[in-house]
PDB file of all heavy atoms in Angstrom:
ATOM      1  N   ASP A   5       0.792  -1.229   0.000  1.00 80.00           N
ATOM      2  CA  ASP A   5       0.000   0.000   0.000  1.00 80.00           C
ATOM      3  C   ASP A   5       0.831   1.289   0.000  1.00 80.00           C
ATOM      4  O   ASP A   5       0.288   2.368   0.202  1.00 80.00           O
ATOM      5  CB  ASP A   5      -0.954  -0.002   1.195  1.00 80.00           C
ATOM      6  CG  ASP A   5      -0.229  -0.029   2.536  1.00 80.00           C
ATOM      7  OD1 ASP A   5       0.975  -0.360   2.565  1.00 80.00           O
ATOM      8  OD2 ASP A   5      -0.879   0.287   3.556  1.00 80.00           O
ATOM      9  N   ARG A   6       2.137   1.183  -0.230  1.00 77.00           N
ATOM     10  CA  ARG A   6       2.981   2.388  -0.252  1.00 77.00           C
ATOM     11  C   ARG A   6       4.280   2.103  -0.996  1.00 77.00           C
ATOM     12  O   ARG A   6       4.608   0.973  -1.294  1.00 77.00           O
ATOM     13  CB  ARG A   6       3.293   2.847   1.166  1.00 77.00           C
ATOM     14  CG  ARG A   6       4.078   1.816   1.953  1.00 77.00           C
ATOM     15  CD  ARG A   6       4.703   2.410   3.200  1.00 77.00           C
ATOM     16  NE  ARG A   6       5.202   1.407   4.093  1.00 77.00           N
ATOM     17  CZ  ARG A   6       6.312   0.695   3.890  1.00 77.00           C
ATOM     18  NH1 ARG A   6       7.046   0.900   2.830  1.00 77.00           N
ATOM     19  NH2 ARG A   6       6.703  -0.223   4.752  1.00 77.00           N
ATOM     20  N   GLU A   7       5.008   3.192  -1.260  1.00 77.00           N
ATOM     21  CA  GLU A   7       6.338   3.037  -1.858  1.00 77.00           C
ATOM     22  C   GLU A   7       7.295   2.449  -0.827  1.00 77.00           C
ATOM     23  O   GLU A   7       7.077   2.565   0.383  1.00 77.00           O
ATOM     24  CB  GLU A   7       6.872   4.409  -2.310  1.00 77.00           C
ATOM     25  CG  GLU A   7       6.112   5.012  -3.482  1.00 77.00           C
ATOM     26  CD  GLU A   7       6.772   6.301  -3.948  1.00 77.00           C
ATOM     27  OE1 GLU A   7       7.969   6.281  -4.280  1.00 77.00           O
ATOM     28  OE2 GLU A   7       6.059   7.320  -3.964  1.00 77.00           O
ATOM     29  N   ASP A   8       8.374   1.833  -1.310  1.00 80.00           N
ATOM     30  CA  ASP A   8       9.386   1.295  -0.406  1.00 80.00           C
ATOM     31  C   ASP A   8      10.027   2.418   0.399  1.00 80.00           C
ATOM     32  O   ASP A   8      10.161   3.543  -0.078  1.00 80.00           O
ATOM     33  CB  ASP A   8      10.481   0.567  -1.185  1.00 80.00           C
ATOM     34  CG  ASP A   8       9.979  -0.729  -1.808  1.00 80.00           C
ATOM     35  OD1 ASP A   8       8.858  -1.147  -1.498  1.00 80.00           O
ATOM     36  OD2 ASP A   8      10.723  -1.303  -2.616  1.00 80.00           O
ATOM     37  N   VAL A   9      10.400   2.092   1.627  1.00 80.00           N
ATOM     38  CA  VAL A   9      11.059   3.053   2.509  1.00 80.00           C
ATOM     39  C   VAL A   9      12.405   2.460   2.927  1.00 80.00           C
ATOM     40  O   VAL A   9      12.467   1.321   3.389  1.00 80.00           O
ATOM     41  CB  VAL A   9      10.211   3.357   3.766  1.00 80.00           C
ATOM     42  CG1 VAL A   9      10.954   4.313   4.702  1.00 80.00           C
ATOM     43  CG2 VAL A   9       8.856   3.935   3.378  1.00 80.00           C
ATOM     44  N   ALA A  10      13.478   3.234   2.754  1.00 85.00           N
ATOM     45  CA  ALA A  10      14.814   2.792   3.156  1.00 85.00           C
ATOM     46  C   ALA A  10      15.106   3.262   4.573  1.00 85.00           C
ATOM     47  O   ALA A  10      14.817   4.399   4.931  1.00 85.00           O
ATOM     48  CB  ALA A  10      15.866   3.354   2.196  1.00 85.00           C
ATOM     49  N   PHE A  11      15.660   2.366   5.375  1.00 88.00           N
ATOM     50  CA  PHE A  11      16.121   2.664   6.731  1.00 88.00           C
ATOM     51  C   PHE A  11      17.618   2.388   6.754  1.00 88.00           C
ATOM     52  O   PHE A  11      18.056   1.366   6.214  1.00 88.00           O
ATOM     53  CB  PHE A  11      15.428   1.755   7.759  1.00 88.00           C
ATOM     54  CG  PHE A  11      13.946   1.971   7.862  1.00 88.00           C
ATOM     55  CD1 PHE A  11      13.081   1.351   6.983  1.00 88.00           C
ATOM     56  CD2 PHE A  11      13.431   2.784   8.850  1.00 88.00           C
ATOM     57  CE1 PHE A  11      11.714   1.534   7.079  1.00 88.00           C
ATOM     58  CE2 PHE A  11      12.062   2.975   8.962  1.00 88.00           C
ATOM     59  CZ  PHE A  11      11.194   2.353   8.071  1.00 88.00           C
ATOM     60  N   TYR A  12      18.392   3.275   7.377  1.00 94.00           N
ATOM     61  CA  TYR A  12      19.837   3.071   7.376  1.00 94.00           C
ATOM     62  C   TYR A  12      20.485   3.885   8.484  1.00 94.00           C
ATOM     63  O   TYR A  12      19.853   4.748   9.095  1.00 94.00           O
ATOM     64  CB  TYR A  12      20.446   3.448   6.021  1.00 94.00           C
ATOM     65  CG  TYR A  12      20.115   4.851   5.566  1.00 94.00           C
ATOM     66  CD1 TYR A  12      20.950   5.921   5.871  1.00 94.00           C
ATOM     67  CD2 TYR A  12      18.954   5.109   4.846  1.00 94.00           C
ATOM     68  CE1 TYR A  12      20.647   7.200   5.462  1.00 94.00           C
ATOM     69  CE2 TYR A  12      18.642   6.392   4.431  1.00 94.00           C
ATOM     70  CZ  TYR A  12      19.492   7.430   4.737  1.00 94.00           C
ATOM     71  OH  TYR A  12      19.172   8.702   4.339  1.00 94.00           O
ATOM     72  N   GLY A  13      21.744   3.596   8.754  1.00 95.00           N
ATOM     73  CA  GLY A  13      22.468   4.346   9.764  1.00 95.00           C
ATOM     74  C   GLY A  13      23.850   3.793  10.011  1.00 95.00           C
ATOM     75  O   GLY A  13      24.345   2.937   9.273  1.00 95.00           O
ATOM     76  N   GLU A  14      24.443   4.302  11.078  1.00 96.00           N
ATOM     77  CA  GLU A  14      25.814   3.931  11.464  1.00 96.00           C
ATOM     78  C   GLU A  14      25.835   3.653  12.963  1.00 96.00           C
ATOM     79  O   GLU A  14      25.180   4.338  13.739  1.00 96.00           O
ATOM     80  CB  GLU A  14      26.766   5.090  11.148  1.00 96.00           C
ATOM     81  CG  GLU A  14      28.183   4.856  11.579  1.00 96.00           C
ATOM     82  CD  GLU A  14      29.080   6.056  11.298  1.00 96.00           C
ATOM     83  OE1 GLU A  14      28.694   6.925  10.488  1.00 96.00           O
ATOM     84  OE2 GLU A  14      30.154   6.126  11.899  1.00 96.00           O
ATOM     85  N   TYR A  15      26.582   2.625  13.353  1.00 97.00           N
ATOM     86  CA  TYR A  15      26.737   2.311  14.773  1.00 97.00           C
ATOM     87  C   TYR A  15      27.685   3.325  15.411  1.00 97.00           C
ATOM     88  O   TYR A  15      28.804   3.528  14.936  1.00 97.00           O
ATOM     89  CB  TYR A  15      27.276   0.892  14.961  1.00 97.00           C
ATOM     90  CG  TYR A  15      26.248  -0.153  14.648  1.00 97.00           C
ATOM     91  CD1 TYR A  15      26.163  -0.707  13.376  1.00 97.00           C
ATOM     92  CD2 TYR A  15      25.340  -0.560  15.614  1.00 97.00           C
ATOM     93  CE1 TYR A  15      25.195  -1.657  13.083  1.00 97.00           C
ATOM     94  CE2 TYR A  15      24.372  -1.509  15.323  1.00 97.00           C
ATOM     95  CZ  TYR A  15      24.307  -2.049  14.050  1.00 97.00           C
ATOM     96  OH  TYR A  15      23.350  -2.987  13.767  1.00 97.00           O
ATOM     97  N   LEU A  16      27.227   3.969  16.481  1.00 97.00           N
ATOM     98  CA  LEU A  16      28.019   4.979  17.187  1.00 97.00           C
ATOM     99  C   LEU A  16      28.691   4.409  18.428  1.00 97.00           C
ATOM    100  O   LEU A  16      29.768   4.861  18.817  1.00 97.00           O
ATOM    101  CB  LEU A  16      27.130   6.159  17.582  1.00 97.00           C
ATOM    102  CG  LEU A  16      26.355   6.824  16.431  1.00 97.00           C
ATOM    103  CD1 LEU A  16      25.416   7.891  16.974  1.00 97.00           C
ATOM    104  CD2 LEU A  16      27.321   7.403  15.408  1.00 97.00           C
ATOM    105  N   ALA A  17      28.049   3.438  19.084  1.00 98.00           N
ATOM    106  CA  ALA A  17      28.595   2.787  20.284  1.00 98.00           C
ATOM    107  C   ALA A  17      28.013   1.386  20.344  1.00 98.00           C
ATOM    108  O   ALA A  17      26.841   1.180  20.038  1.00 98.00           O
ATOM    109  CB  ALA A  17      28.245   3.574  21.541  1.00 98.00           C
ATOM    110  N   VAL A  18      28.852   0.426  20.749  1.00 98.00           N
ATOM    111  CA  VAL A  18      28.410  -0.959  20.864  1.00 98.00           C
ATOM    112  C   VAL A  18      28.979  -1.525  22.160  1.00 98.00           C
ATOM    113  O   VAL A  18      30.196  -1.530  22.357  1.00 98.00           O
ATOM    114  CB  VAL A  18      28.884  -1.801  19.653  1.00 98.00           C
ATOM    115  CG1 VAL A  18      28.441  -3.246  19.801  1.00 98.00           C
ATOM    116  CG2 VAL A  18      28.395  -1.206  18.342  1.00 98.00           C
ATOM    117  N   ASP A  19      28.098  -1.972  23.055  1.00 97.00           N
ATOM    118  CA  ASP A  19      28.498  -2.525  24.351  1.00 97.00           C
ATOM    119  C   ASP A  19      27.691  -3.805  24.613  1.00 97.00           C
ATOM    120  O   ASP A  19      26.748  -3.801  25.400  1.00 97.00           O
ATOM    121  CB  ASP A  19      28.260  -1.490  25.452  1.00 97.00           C
ATOM    122  CG  ASP A  19      28.619  -1.996  26.843  1.00 97.00           C
ATOM    123  OD1 ASP A  19      29.413  -2.953  26.951  1.00 97.00           O
ATOM    124  OD2 ASP A  19      28.076  -1.451  27.812  1.00 97.00           O
ATOM    125  N   PRO A  20      28.049  -4.917  23.920  1.00 95.00           N
ATOM    126  CA  PRO A  20      27.272  -6.138  24.104  1.00 95.00           C
ATOM    127  C   PRO A  20      27.487  -6.727  25.491  1.00 95.00           C
ATOM    128  O   PRO A  20      28.582  -6.632  26.017  1.00 95.00           O
ATOM    129  CB  PRO A  20      27.813  -7.078  23.023  1.00 95.00           C
ATOM    130  CG  PRO A  20      29.060  -6.464  22.499  1.00 95.00           C
ATOM    131  CD  PRO A  20      29.130  -5.052  22.990  1.00 95.00           C
ATOM    132  N   PRO A  21      26.507  -7.303  26.090  1.00 94.00           N
ATOM    133  CA  PRO A  21      25.122  -7.442  25.626  1.00 94.00           C
ATOM    134  C   PRO A  21      24.217  -6.353  26.187  1.00 94.00           C
ATOM    135  O   PRO A  21      22.993  -6.504  26.199  1.00 94.00           O
ATOM    136  CB  PRO A  21      24.728  -8.808  26.188  1.00 94.00           C
ATOM    137  CG  PRO A  21      25.416  -8.832  27.526  1.00 94.00           C
ATOM    138  CD  PRO A  21      26.741  -8.113  27.290  1.00 94.00           C
ATOM    139  N   ASN A  22      24.806  -5.248  26.624  1.00 96.00           N
ATOM    140  CA  ASN A  22      24.043  -4.223  27.352  1.00 96.00           C
ATOM    141  C   ASN A  22      23.314  -3.205  26.490  1.00 96.00           C
ATOM    142  O   ASN A  22      22.163  -2.885  26.761  1.00 96.00           O
ATOM    143  CB  ASN A  22      24.963  -3.477  28.318  1.00 96.00           C
ATOM    144  CG  ASN A  22      25.643  -4.422  29.277  1.00 96.00           C
ATOM    145  OD1 ASN A  22      24.982  -5.208  29.940  1.00 96.00           O
ATOM    146  ND2 ASN A  22      26.961  -4.376  29.321  1.00 96.00           N
ATOM    147  N   GLU A  23      23.996  -2.663  25.491  1.00 97.00           N
ATOM    148  CA  GLU A  23      23.353  -1.616  24.699  1.00 97.00           C
ATOM    149  C   GLU A  23      24.128  -1.325  23.427  1.00 97.00           C
ATOM    150  O   GLU A  23      25.282  -1.737  23.270  1.00 97.00           O
ATOM    151  CB  GLU A  23      23.187  -0.322  25.488  1.00 97.00           C
ATOM    152  CG  GLU A  23      24.476   0.407  25.803  1.00 97.00           C
ATOM    153  CD  GLU A  23      24.232   1.699  26.569  1.00 97.00           C
ATOM    154  OE1 GLU A  23      23.278   1.783  27.365  1.00 97.00           O
ATOM    155  OE2 GLU A  23      25.011   2.630  26.369  1.00 97.00           O
ATOM    156  N   PHE A  24      23.450  -0.618  22.538  1.00 98.00           N
ATOM    157  CA  PHE A  24      24.128  -0.051  21.373  1.00 98.00           C
ATOM    158  C   PHE A  24      23.425   1.253  21.007  1.00 98.00           C
ATOM    159  O   PHE A  24      22.255   1.467  21.325  1.00 98.00           O
ATOM    160  CB  PHE A  24      24.173  -1.021  20.181  1.00 98.00           C
ATOM    161  CG  PHE A  24      22.842  -1.302  19.536  1.00 98.00           C
ATOM    162  CD1 PHE A  24      22.356  -0.501  18.511  1.00 98.00           C
ATOM    163  CD2 PHE A  24      22.084  -2.393  19.932  1.00 98.00           C
ATOM    164  CE1 PHE A  24      21.141  -0.773  17.910  1.00 98.00           C
ATOM    165  CE2 PHE A  24      20.862  -2.682  19.340  1.00 98.00           C
ATOM    166  CZ  PHE A  24      20.396  -1.862  18.325  1.00 98.00           C
ATOM    167  N   THR A  25      24.181   2.132  20.363  1.00 98.00           N
ATOM    168  CA  THR A  25      23.646   3.390  19.857  1.00 98.00           C
ATOM    169  C   THR A  25      23.967   3.452  18.375  1.00 98.00           C
ATOM    170  O   THR A  25      25.092   3.148  17.960  1.00 98.00           O
ATOM    171  CB  THR A  25      24.273   4.604  20.578  1.00 98.00           C
ATOM    172  OG1 THR A  25      23.975   4.505  21.973  1.00 98.00           O
ATOM    173  CG2 THR A  25      23.731   5.918  20.042  1.00 98.00           C
ATOM    174  N   TRP A  26      22.968   3.837  17.594  1.00 96.00           N
ATOM    175  CA  TRP A  26      23.165   3.997  16.161  1.00 96.00           C
ATOM    176  C   TRP A  26      22.420   5.224  15.688  1.00 96.00           C
ATOM    177  O   TRP A  26      21.601   5.786  16.416  1.00 96.00           O
ATOM    178  CB  TRP A  26      22.727   2.766  15.395  1.00 96.00           C
ATOM    179  CG  TRP A  26      21.249   2.397  15.454  1.00 96.00           C
ATOM    180  CD1 TRP A  26      20.211   3.125  16.005  1.00 96.00           C
ATOM    181  CD2 TRP A  26      20.667   1.211  14.950  1.00 96.00           C
ATOM    182  NE1 TRP A  26      19.034   2.446  15.873  1.00 96.00           N
ATOM    183  CE2 TRP A  26      19.267   1.267  15.215  1.00 96.00           C
ATOM    184  CE3 TRP A  26      21.152   0.106  14.283  1.00 96.00           C
ATOM    185  CZ2 TRP A  26      18.389   0.269  14.845  1.00 96.00           C
ATOM    186  CZ3 TRP A  26      20.258  -0.884  13.913  1.00 96.00           C
ATOM    187  CH2 TRP A  26      18.907  -0.802  14.196  1.00 96.00           C
ATOM    188  N   THR A  27      22.723   5.652  14.493  1.00 95.00           N
ATOM    189  CA  THR A  27      21.856   6.636  13.864  1.00 95.00           C
ATOM    190  C   THR A  27      20.768   5.847  13.157  1.00 95.00           C
ATOM    191  O   THR A  27      21.028   4.805  12.545  1.00 95.00           O
ATOM    192  CB  THR A  27      22.616   7.533  12.860  1.00 95.00           C
ATOM    193  OG1 THR A  27      23.318   6.721  11.929  1.00 95.00           O
ATOM    194  CG2 THR A  27      23.582   8.453  13.570  1.00 95.00           C
ATOM    195  N   PHE A  28      19.549   6.294  13.309  1.00 90.00           N
ATOM    196  CA  PHE A  28      18.395   5.641  12.693  1.00 90.00           C
ATOM    197  C   PHE A  28      17.775   6.654  11.746  1.00 90.00           C
ATOM    198  O   PHE A  28      17.176   7.642  12.182  1.00 90.00           O
ATOM    199  CB  PHE A  28      17.389   5.215  13.761  1.00 90.00           C
ATOM    200  CG  PHE A  28      16.215   4.468  13.200  1.00 90.00           C
ATOM    201  CD1 PHE A  28      16.307   3.109  12.986  1.00 90.00           C
ATOM    202  CD2 PHE A  28      15.041   5.127  12.886  1.00 90.00           C
ATOM    203  CE1 PHE A  28      15.218   2.411  12.456  1.00 90.00           C
ATOM    204  CE2 PHE A  28      13.961   4.439  12.364  1.00 90.00           C
ATOM    205  CZ  PHE A  28      14.046   3.084  12.148  1.00 90.00           C
ATOM    206  N   VAL A  29      17.967   6.436  10.453  1.00 89.00           N
ATOM    207  CA  VAL A  29      17.478   7.364   9.438  1.00 89.00           C
ATOM    208  C   VAL A  29      16.512   6.603   8.542  1.00 89.00           C
ATOM    209  O   VAL A  29      16.765   5.452   8.188  1.00 89.00           O
ATOM    210  CB  VAL A  29      18.650   7.926   8.597  1.00 89.00           C
ATOM    211  CG1 VAL A  29      18.136   8.881   7.528  1.00 89.00           C
ATOM    212  CG2 VAL A  29      19.665   8.617   9.497  1.00 89.00           C
ATOM    213  N   PHE A  30      15.407   7.229   8.201  1.00 82.00           N
ATOM    214  CA  PHE A  30      14.505   6.635   7.229  1.00 82.00           C
ATOM    215  C   PHE A  30      14.220   7.662   6.151  1.00 82.00           C
ATOM    216  O   PHE A  30      14.088   8.848   6.410  1.00 82.00           O
ATOM    217  CB  PHE A  30      13.231   6.068   7.859  1.00 82.00           C
ATOM    218  CG  PHE A  30      12.490   6.994   8.778  1.00 82.00           C
ATOM    219  CD1 PHE A  30      11.322   7.602   8.385  1.00 82.00           C
ATOM    220  CD2 PHE A  30      12.968   7.227  10.060  1.00 82.00           C
ATOM    221  CE1 PHE A  30      10.629   8.435   9.239  1.00 82.00           C
ATOM    222  CE2 PHE A  30      12.280   8.054  10.922  1.00 82.00           C
ATOM    223  CZ  PHE A  30      11.109   8.667  10.508  1.00 82.00           C
ATOM    224  N   ASP A  31      14.184   7.180   4.919  1.00 78.00           N
ATOM    225  CA  ASP A  31      14.040   8.038   3.754  1.00 78.00           C
ATOM    226  C   ASP A  31      12.658   7.816   3.163  1.00 78.00           C
ATOM    227  O   ASP A  31      12.414   6.824   2.475  1.00 78.00           O
ATOM    228  CB  ASP A  31      15.132   7.703   2.735  1.00 78.00           C
ATOM    229  CG  ASP A  31      15.354   8.811   1.744  1.00 78.00           C
ATOM    230  OD1 ASP A  31      14.544   9.757   1.704  1.00 78.00           O
ATOM    231  OD2 ASP A  31      16.344   8.741   0.999  1.00 78.00           O
ATOM    232  N   VAL A  32      11.748   8.736   3.457  1.00 71.00           N
ATOM    233  CA  VAL A  32      10.361   8.609   3.038  1.00 71.00           C
ATOM    234  C   VAL A  32      10.181   9.275   1.675  1.00 71.00           C
ATOM    235  O   VAL A  32      10.513  10.456   1.516  1.00 71.00           O
ATOM    236  CB  VAL A  32       9.417   9.267   4.074  1.00 71.00           C
ATOM    237  CG1 VAL A  32       7.972   9.173   3.632  1.00 71.00           C
ATOM    238  CG2 VAL A  32       9.633   8.654   5.443  1.00 71.00           C
ATOM    239  N   PRO A  33       9.676   8.528   0.679  1.00 68.00           N
ATOM    240  CA  PRO A  33       9.458   9.129  -0.638  1.00 68.00           C
ATOM    241  C   PRO A  33       8.577  10.376  -0.533  1.00 68.00           C
ATOM    242  O   PRO A  33       7.548  10.376   0.135  1.00 68.00           O
ATOM    243  CB  PRO A  33       8.743   8.008  -1.416  1.00 68.00           C
ATOM    244  CG  PRO A  33       9.192   6.742  -0.746  1.00 68.00           C
ATOM    245  CD  PRO A  33       9.317   7.105   0.709  1.00 68.00           C
ATOM    246  N   GLY A  34       9.006  11.441  -1.171  1.00 70.00           N
ATOM    247  CA  GLY A  34       8.270  12.696  -1.154  1.00 70.00           C
ATOM    248  C   GLY A  34       8.535  13.567   0.054  1.00 70.00           C
ATOM    249  O   GLY A  34       8.139  14.718   0.093  1.00 70.00           O
ATOM    250  N   VAL A  35       9.216  13.017   1.071  1.00 71.00           N
ATOM    251  CA  VAL A  35       9.508  13.775   2.295  1.00 71.00           C
ATOM    252  C   VAL A  35      11.006  13.950   2.459  1.00 71.00           C
ATOM    253  O   VAL A  35      11.489  15.015   2.798  1.00 71.00           O
ATOM    254  CB  VAL A  35       8.923  13.075   3.549  1.00 71.00           C
ATOM    255  CG1 VAL A  35       9.283  13.822   4.823  1.00 71.00           C
ATOM    256  CG2 VAL A  35       7.412  12.921   3.412  1.00 71.00           C
ATOM    257  N   GLY A  36      11.747  12.901   2.199  1.00 70.00           N
ATOM    258  CA  GLY A  36      13.201  12.943   2.345  1.00 70.00           C
ATOM    259  C   GLY A  36      13.649  12.253   3.616  1.00 70.00           C
ATOM    260  O   GLY A  36      12.841  11.747   4.391  1.00 70.00           O
ATOM    261  N   PRO A  37      14.966  12.234   3.850  1.00 79.00           N
ATOM    262  CA  PRO A  37      15.490  11.544   5.027  1.00 79.00           C
ATOM    263  C   PRO A  37      15.190  12.292   6.323  1.00 79.00           C
ATOM    264  O   PRO A  37      15.171  13.513   6.358  1.00 79.00           O
ATOM    265  CB  PRO A  37      16.995  11.474   4.770  1.00 79.00           C
ATOM    266  CG  PRO A  37      17.274  12.530   3.766  1.00 79.00           C
ATOM    267  CD  PRO A  37      16.023  12.764   2.998  1.00 79.00           C
ATOM    268  N   MET A  38      14.907  11.514   7.375  1.00 80.00           N
ATOM    269  CA  MET A  38      14.721  12.080   8.706  1.00 80.00           C
ATOM    270  C   MET A  38      15.169  11.042   9.719  1.00 80.00           C
ATOM    271  O   MET A  38      15.237   9.858   9.418  1.00 80.00           O
ATOM    272  CB  MET A  38      13.270  12.492   8.933  1.00 80.00           C
ATOM    273  CG  MET A  38      12.261  11.381   8.810  1.00 80.00           C
ATOM    274  SD  MET A  38      10.562  11.904   9.103  1.00 80.00           S
ATOM    275  CE  MET A  38      10.218  12.842   7.652  1.00 80.00           C
ATOM    276  N   GLY A  39      15.519  11.493  10.904  1.00 83.00           N
ATOM    277  CA  GLY A  39      15.932  10.574  11.947  1.00 83.00           C
ATOM    278  C   GLY A  39      17.014  11.184  12.817  1.00 83.00           C
ATOM    279  O   GLY A  39      17.278  12.382  12.755  1.00 83.00           O
ATOM    280  N   GLY A  40      17.666  10.344  13.594  1.00 89.00           N
ATOM    281  CA  GLY A  40      18.703  10.811  14.492  1.00 89.00           C
ATOM    282  C   GLY A  40      19.262   9.658  15.304  1.00 89.00           C
ATOM    283  O   GLY A  40      18.991   8.492  15.021  1.00 89.00           O
ATOM    284  N   PRO A  41      20.029   9.975  16.343  1.00 95.00           N
ATOM    285  CA  PRO A  41      20.617   8.912  17.162  1.00 95.00           C
ATOM    286  C   PRO A  41      19.553   8.191  17.987  1.00 95.00           C
ATOM    287  O   PRO A  41      18.546   8.776  18.391  1.00 95.00           O
ATOM    288  CB  PRO A  41      21.607   9.653  18.054  1.00 95.00           C
ATOM    289  CG  PRO A  41      21.124  11.056  18.090  1.00 95.00           C
ATOM    290  CD  PRO A  41      20.435  11.305  16.786  1.00 95.00           C
ATOM    291  N   GLU A  42      19.794   6.905  18.202  1.00 95.00           N
ATOM    292  CA  GLU A  42      18.866   6.064  18.932  1.00 95.00           C
ATOM    293  C   GLU A  42      19.687   5.089  19.773  1.00 95.00           C
ATOM    294  O   GLU A  42      20.611   4.463  19.265  1.00 95.00           O
ATOM    295  CB  GLU A  42      18.003   5.312  17.911  1.00 95.00           C
ATOM    296  CG  GLU A  42      16.841   4.582  18.439  1.00 95.00           C
ATOM    297  CD  GLU A  42      15.965   4.070  17.315  1.00 95.00           C
ATOM    298  OE1 GLU A  42      16.295   3.032  16.721  1.00 95.00           O
ATOM    299  OE2 GLU A  42      14.937   4.727  17.030  1.00 95.00           O
ATOM    300  N   THR A  43      19.344   4.964  21.052  1.00 97.00           N
ATOM    301  CA  THR A  43      20.044   4.042  21.952  1.00 97.00           C
ATOM    302  C   THR A  43      19.089   2.944  22.388  1.00 97.00           C
ATOM    303  O   THR A  43      17.967   3.220  22.807  1.00 97.00           O
ATOM    304  CB  THR A  43      20.594   4.782  23.182  1.00 97.00           C
ATOM    305  OG1 THR A  43      21.534   5.771  22.741  1.00 97.00           O
ATOM    306  CG2 THR A  43      21.287   3.821  24.137  1.00 97.00           C
ATOM    307  N   HIS A  44      19.553   1.700  22.280  1.00 97.00           N
ATOM    308  CA  HIS A  44      18.797   0.526  22.710  1.00 97.00           C
ATOM    309  C   HIS A  44      19.535  -0.105  23.879  1.00 97.00           C
ATOM    310  O   HIS A  44      20.717  -0.418  23.766  1.00 97.00           O
ATOM    311  CB  HIS A  44      18.695  -0.505  21.583  1.00 97.00           C
ATOM    312  CG  HIS A  44      18.039   0.025  20.348  1.00 97.00           C
ATOM    313  ND1 HIS A  44      16.691  -0.056  20.145  1.00 97.00           N
ATOM    314  CD2 HIS A  44      18.545   0.660  19.267  1.00 97.00           C
ATOM    315  CE1 HIS A  44      16.394   0.492  18.987  1.00 97.00           C
ATOM    316  NE2 HIS A  44      17.498   0.935  18.431  1.00 97.00           N
TER     317      HIS A  44
END
């Protein structure tokens, strides 16, 4: 029901098995890329 959406980013910190931080960017057709850092 929609155009494909690309999600991408770069790992900024990795501390297994506790956490990681990456940039989470999604590129929405007609809107452009948006996102930022995300920590799990």
Side-chain angles (χ1 to χ4, degrees):
D5 62 343
R6 62 164 168 74
E7 292 185 56
D8 290 351
V9 177
F11 295 84
Y12 55 92
E14 176 182 343
Y15 288 93
L16 305 175
V18 179
D19 179 22
N22 303 307
E23 69 179 32
F24 69 88
T25 300
W26 64 8
T27 53
F28 183 85
V29 179
F30 51 105
D31 199 349
V32 179
V35 177
M38 59 179 72
E42 190 171 80
T43 299
H44 301 270

